[in-house]
Amino acid sequence: MSVIPWFSIVFAQLVDRLLKRRLHHGLLLTGPAGIGKYELARALAKTMLCKSPDNEGPCEQCQSCALFDASTHPDYGELTSDKQLGVDKIREGISRLNATSQLSGSKVLIIPVADSMTESAANALLKTLEEPTDNTFIILVTDRMAQLLPTIVSRCEKHILSRPHTEVALQWLRDQGIHNATQALLDAYGGAPLRVQSALEEGASGVSYVQYQEGLETLLEGNNDAVSLATKWQDSAATIVDWLQQYAHQAYLQDNSPPMFNLYQSCIRSRQVLLNPGVNKIMILSSLLAEVKRPANRLG
Ligand SMILES: [Zn+2]
């Protein structure tokens, strides 16, 4: 199991403490979305469960590693929910932690979106964090630590994780087979490489970043009009607005032009409007695209 390169140091430190039996039973991994916190949590969980881990992590040979890879490990659980994570799910997860380990090793529970816990769910978890059973680990993952109960945060060992440097992130994306990633694309996703990855994978049904760039170029060259692009892109409206916002931001940083500042503001407003059901996406997009075109015309 390869750990995401920018987390290799923190992973090695945590594994070292695990091997020395000095790792806290409640870990909280926090930081921006899309930087790989959940993947780090899983790598840790697999190491915690492995029968013969070493400084590199899990052995990849034992029964436990095989069960983990097959997503059938009896002593491992993830608590997720489409909506809020309620007290019933937490109780169910905790009862598995309290049961005897089926493989006579550790038991691990990951809560991938810890900020989705209801208050009563958090309170139920709190008891387990305060009085842990032997060989159990709970790993909480969140993009929004401020949404967690302070008592939960104070019972966990916190790791505040950061975005990777641009070059590291772009190299990783290339290693994943994404060769057309650029700094602009990375910036459009807040510097979070895993967000870029999933956006490009989703691209099959919507507009890919490359298609967007090409479309924008034809618009600026006067070979396309705002309404037909907006019509073509309406199903990916929110993504297009994010990309346009980033475009305006970059352009404004370069030349301080007021129209780009206005476009940036319009994108923020449009992003809000798009949250309402039944809005006219073509109208919103075409008005933004017309704004993109205007300053270019003036320069030309
Ligand atoms: Zn193993």
Side-chain angles (χ1 to χ4, degrees), residues 15-31:
V15 168
D16 182 57
R17 285 171 46 214
L18 175 74
L19 298 177
K20 290 174 175 157
R21 298 188 161 273
R22 282 197 210 133
L23 190 58
H24 198 277
H25 63 274
L27 298 175
L28 172 60
L29 307 182
T30 184

Side-chain angles (χ1 to χ4, degrees), residues 50-52 58-62 65:
C50 174
K51 292 291 175 191
S52 45
C59 74
E60 308 289 355
Q61 311 284 330
C62 69
C65 283

Side-chain angles (χ1 to χ4, degrees), residues 7 27-33 35-38 40 114-115 139-148 153 157-163:
F7 290 150
L27 298 175
L28 172 60
L29 307 182
T30 184
I35 58 169
K37 300 183 298 296
Y38 167 71
L40 175 63
D115 48 88
I139 309 176
L140 305 181
V141 181
T142 181
D143 309 334
R144 302 181 298 165
M145 189 167 67
Q147 305 285 318
L148 295 180
V153 176
E157 178 183 301
K158 282 179 288 298
H159 291 274
I160 299 170
L161 304 164
S162 327
R163 296 177 183 86

Side-chain angles (χ1 to χ4, degrees), residues 4 16 36 44 71 75 77 83 95 107 134 146 161 166 180 184 201 235 237 242 248 253 258 282 298 300:
I4 291 177
D16 182 57
L44 279 172
S71 304
D75 301 319
K83 294 174 193 156
S95 71
K107 286 163 291 174
D134 283 346
L161 304 164
T166 303
N180 52 10
E201 280 169 0
D235 290 339
D242 287 345
L253 287 181
I282 298 178
R298 195 171 305 163

